[in-house]
Amino acid sequence: MILEMKDICKEFPMGKGVTKVLNNVSLTVNEGDYLAIMGPSGSGKTTLMNLIGCLDTPTSGSYILGDKDITTCNGNQLADVRNQEIGFVFQSFNLLPKLTALDNVALPLVYRGMKKEDRRELAKKALETVGLAERVDYRPDQLSGGQCQRVAIARAIVGNPKLLLADEPTGALDSASGKQVMELFAQLHENGSTIIMITHDQNIADYAESVKFIKDGVLSEGGADNEADNE
């Protein structure tokens, strides 16, 4: 088991009261799973993604990631979990514009205290995995959108995380580049990666082995009656 959430609730202050964004969400993900979580705008999927990624903590409920009880972790411990256990891929790439592809990919290893030559060697291997061995010295503004996203994927996998968490990874790409990125995720899954994909797009969700749907803060099995609206 990679992660287990039980009865997760998340509330935010709203005026004199609170708004419940997630309502008793339970989720189990095992090693090697490829799960898509679909939902329309305002469904709670971004909040759920932030909790899975340890970018936020729940109001109530339990969350075990690997062998760690996330609900008991302090800020520094959560930062360590994000760096060592989770690889993030975002819609907007989040690459540093002044760094080369190689140095962008190596960046998470800097925070692990790894020696420069070791982290650069791992970064080169990660870029080879995503098909960018010839682009190691290119900056983001010298790369296409699809190439930037592949750099972001290389950065996500460079530290061999337990979980890849992708948020609308093709949202900023044209259809051809998006297909290449999704084929890369399929390859990573075949090689053993555990992936959770957050999306509103059924075409993207179709790449996953299983689909769950979130609406009004409630997570359920995906199905023909659950259609996510475009954002």
Side-chain angles (χ1 to χ4, degrees), residues 21-195:
V21 180
L22 295 178
N23 190 9
N24 294 319
V25 168
S26 294
L27 174 66
T28 299
V29 176
N30 294 309
E31 185 174 356
D33 283 355
Y34 188 173
L35 170 67
I37 298 176
M38 293 188 67
S41 179
S43 63
K45 69 179 185 295
T46 297
T47 300
L48 179 57
M49 182 205 72
N50 289 340
L51 295 182
I52 294 171
C54 300
L55 297 165
D56 199 358
T57 54
T59 303
S60 62
S62 66
Y63 178 21
I64 305 298
L65 178 64
D67 59 356
K68 295 181 178 64
D69 184 347
I70 298 303
T71 57
T72 67
C73 292
N74 61 33
N76 288 336
Q77 290 170 329
L78 289 175
D80 287 341
V81 170
R82 291 192 298 270
N83 179 254
Q84 298 175 20
E85 311 288 349
I86 305 171
F88 293 92
V89 182
F90 297 102
Q91 176 176 334
S92 56
F93 318 140
N94 290 357
L95 301 177
L96 296 182
K98 294 184 178 180
L99 297 186
T100 63
L102 184 68
D103 288 334
N104 265 289
V105 172
L107 191 59
L109 304 178
V110 174
Y111 300 114
R112 295 190 185 186
M114 188 177 292
K115 292 180 180 180
K116 184 176 181 179
E117 67 177 40
D118 292 337
R119 64 179 186 254
R120 288 173 69 88
E121 183 62 29
L122 287 177
K124 285 179 182 178
K125 291 180 180 178
L127 285 166
E128 289 173 4
T129 298
V130 302
L132 291 177
E134 305 302 319
R135 297 289 188 272
V136 294
D137 294 324
Y138 285 54
R139 297 187 308 274
D141 63 359
Q142 298 171 309
L143 299 170
S144 68
Q147 289 171 334
C148 283
Q149 191 61 295
R150 282 191 276 160
V151 172
I153 293 169
R155 181 184 58 194
I157 66 174
V158 70
N160 193 30
K162 285 187 173 70
L163 174 67
L164 285 180
L165 182 57
D167 180 26
E168 303 283 6
T170 65
L173 304 178
D174 60 64
S175 58
S177 296
K179 183 178 180 181
Q180 291 175 351
V181 165
M182 293 312 300
E183 288 172 349
L184 176 56
F185 275 111
Q187 176 187 330
L188 292 172
H189 175 242
E190 288 178 5
N191 291 337
S193 292
T194 305
I195 302 171

Side-chain angles (χ1 to χ4, degrees), residues 37-41 45 91 167-168 170-171 197-205 213 227-231:
I37 298 176
M38 293 188 67
S41 179
K45 69 179 185 295
Q91 176 176 334
D167 180 26
E168 303 283 6
T170 65
M197 191 88 59
I198 310 295
T199 184
H200 70 276
D201 188 337
Q202 183 65 59
N203 293 326
I204 299 304
F213 189 85
E227 294 183 0
D229 301 326
N230 287 340
E231 295 183 13

